[in-house]
Amino acid sequence: MDTRDARPESNASHVSRRKMLSALGLTGAALLTSGMWTSESKGDSVHDSVYGGSGGLDPACCSYTTIAGLRAMTGPVTVPYAFVTDSGCEGMFYYDDSDTLSPDDTGLVIVSASGARWKRIYQGEISITWFGAVGDGAADNTAAIQAALDSGLPVWMPPGTYAITGTLRVKANGQLLRGAGRFVTVLKNTANGSALLHFGDNTDPKTTGYALSCAARDFTLEGNAQSSEGVAFLGPQDDVATWGGASRACLLEGVRVSGIGSGPALRVSTWTLTVTGCEFWNSRQGIRIGQQVYAGRFIANYISGHAQEGIYCDVPASKASALLFSGNVVQWCGSAAGMIVLSGGGAWTFQNTYVEVPNAGCNAVWKLSNPGTNVTIDGVHYSTGTGEKAIDVVSTDIRLCTVRGLQIFGNVRRGVYITGTLPITTIDSVRQPSGTSSIALIDDQSERKMTFVNNAPTGIEMGAATIKSLASRMRSRP
């Protein structure tokens, strides 16, 4: 059947010319100047042509219809353009007579009953509503949002609460997923324990299941008591995948993750990730880092209300990782090990960290254990201690440990506690003005090259607390 001369259905309700132009953006302006709209052909006034009236469409070029109307077409196509009027899906489509293979994806391609391919005219980001997503908090939008992501194009999520029941996967290099703002665009799973959002596809058996240089920003992810994880950036040695590659050089910005009851709000198993201005709330863990992590930056994030650690880093000893944490808040969390637990890797740097209110039973704020190479903790305000150690270093393989600019408020049992063998250790400018009788600074090591650059009491203020150091041993060593 020859479908090139058919006319699309035109019995859909009209929308105003202004709404058309809004839906089309710059493309609409181009179509306007091309003569697709004409008031003379219908006798419309200028006012009616712009603000409504009979629509202003030249029926020889374009007609109003719906997605269902396009799909129902059985005759030959004679009108090359159609304006779809479905709410949330408004836009102009054109008939591509050279395409006989593209599948119907609801958003960008509509296939008629006669096999005609109608393709959306658009610029910039594509909307998940074009694919059938509804932000009413009830309808399952998993397939619709994934269809938008599968296009590989930048994806826009308008305001609304979008219920999902499965894991969404970003897997096209350079893709952007953007909402209208946290608390404004919400993706929510109340149905099961699926992870909410993966960068990379651990179901892909090939070496192409990863996403490079992707970004997500300005939306909220909400889980439930069974949710296994919120956001995950996957790498080749991920603990649930065996495929190659890694979702490296990605960006997570202005995203809020909460209510992940059975796992971390954020899990990172890749490298060169930047996480900035995000919130991680009320989950089993805040941020979990491990496996294929060589470098990353975590800047100005809010980490609060977790049943276990706020930050948990477990990188294999063979990985020369370099991770920077700057300007983060960590509160209302902690396991028996600590609030921030570090193990392995190459270099950890924490700058300007505000820490407060560990969970009951938490034994340390920072827990550093072997193997590791270089740990720097610089500029910390810590308050509301309940008997734990502020910084607990237990190691036989940490080559360099630096603690400076530490201010402690509250009844902390030990400010800095170090055991094991650390060849080079620097503790400088520690302040605990609370006046408690706790042991504020203690060092139980037997091997030392340098201890306490500013040896007690110079540069260290402990109020009424006890200070213990190894000054006598230092004098006996070259």
Side-chain angles (χ1 to χ4, degrees), residues 147-471:
L149 291 170
D150 287 346
S151 72
L153 298 166
V155 174
W156 159 248
M157 299 184 293
T161 298
Y162 299 90
I164 59 174
T165 59
T167 303
L168 300 173
R169 293 182 169 88
V170 177
K171 48 192 176 181
N173 294 347
Q175 191 166 35
L176 168 66
L177 178 62
R178 184 173 71 93
R182 61 189 110 178
F183 307 110
V184 179
T185 298
V186 179
L187 305 179
K188 187 172 186 177
N189 185 334
T190 61
N192 54 49
S194 297
L196 275 63
L197 177 62
H198 277 180
F199 282 74
D201 184 2
N202 59 349
T203 67
D204 188 343
K206 303 176 183 179
T207 60
T208 55
Y210 55 91
L212 309 180
S213 304
C214 292
R217 56 167 56 102
D218 302 331
F219 59 91
T220 287
L221 291 163
E222 291 187 7
N224 60 72
Q226 289 76 44
S227 295
S228 60
E229 58 194 12
V231 184
F233 291 83
L234 306 179
Q237 295 183 8
D238 188 82
D239 55 10
V240 293
T242 58
W243 43 264
S247 300
R248 57 186 180 272
C250 291
L251 169 67
L252 192 69
E253 180 179 16
V255 172
R256 188 178 195 269
V257 186
S258 67
I260 310 301
S262 296
L266 171 64
R267 181 166 63 87
V268 180
S269 294
T270 183
W271 61 86
T272 60
L273 172 67
T274 298
V275 180
T276 181
C278 294
E279 299 179 55
F280 304 104
W281 286 89
N282 302 332
S283 299
R284 185 173 180 83
Q285 285 180 319
I287 300 175
R288 185 181 181 95
I289 299 173
Q291 301 301 319
Q292 198 77 4
V293 181
Y294 287 107
R297 299 181 299 170
F298 301 81
I299 302 171
N301 301 295
Y302 206 99
I303 305 164
S304 181
H306 304 293
Q308 295 186 356
E309 301 86 2
I311 300 172
Y312 186 93
C313 305
D314 185 14
V315 178
S318 60
K319 306 303 178 186
S321 60
L323 294 170
L324 169 66
F325 295 81
S326 180
N328 297 289
V329 173
V330 183
Q331 64 178 187
W332 298 101
C333 59
S335 65
M339 298 178 75
I340 301 171
V341 177
L342 312 179
S343 176
W348 311 97
T349 300
F350 284 81
Q351 298 174 336
N352 304 324
T353 308
Y354 183 93
V355 187
E356 67 174 359
V357 195
N359 289 340
C362 177
N363 289 319
V365 178
W366 266 272
K367 176 73 170 184
L368 284 60
S369 61
N370 64 296
T373 302
N374 184 346
V375 180
T376 300
I377 300 173
D378 187 357
V380 178
H381 179 101
Y382 171 66
S383 64
T384 319
T386 56
E388 65 287 333
K389 310 174 188 74
I391 298 177
D392 187 8
V393 182
V394 180
S395 177
T396 57
D397 197 29
I398 294 180
R399 298 291 183 257
L400 173 62
C401 180
T402 301
V403 177
R404 59 176 175 254
L406 173 63
Q407 179 162 265
I408 305 170
F409 291 91
N411 187 21
V412 178
R413 180 158 50 97
R414 287 167 174 162
V416 180
Y417 184 74
I418 302 174
T419 58
T421 302
L422 279 72
I424 301 177
T425 303
T426 299
I427 301 178
D428 186 10
S429 301
V430 177
R431 184 172 186 262
Q432 185 183 352
S434 61
T436 68
S437 58
S438 63
I439 298 176
L441 179 62
I442 185 167
D443 175 13
D444 289 339
Q445 296 185 76
S446 58
E447 295 294 332
R448 173 79 53 223
K449 289 184 179 178
M450 180 175 63
T451 305
F452 310 155
V453 166
N454 285 337
N455 191 32
T458 304
I460 300 177
E461 177 190 345
M462 291 299 177
T466 302
I467 298 174
K468 178 180 177 181
S469 65
L470 296 180

Side-chain angles (χ1 to χ4, degrees), residues 75-137:
V77 177
T78 57
V79 178
Y81 296 95
F83 189 88
V84 165
T85 61
D86 301 73
S87 179
C89 302
E90 297 93 343
M92 190 70 70
F93 286 73
Y94 73 96
Y95 167 49
D96 184 354
D97 61 357
S98 67
D99 185 359
T100 59
L101 298 176
S102 295
D104 189 323
D105 65 5
T106 301
L108 301 180
V109 180
I110 305 297
V111 180
S112 73
S114 61
R117 265 64 181 176
W118 290 89
K119 297 185 177 180
R120 184 182 291 272
I121 299 172
Y122 65 92
Q123 288 183 330
E125 298 171 340
I126 63 173
S127 174
I128 60 174
T129 62
W130 296 354
F131 296 82
V134 180
D136 62 358

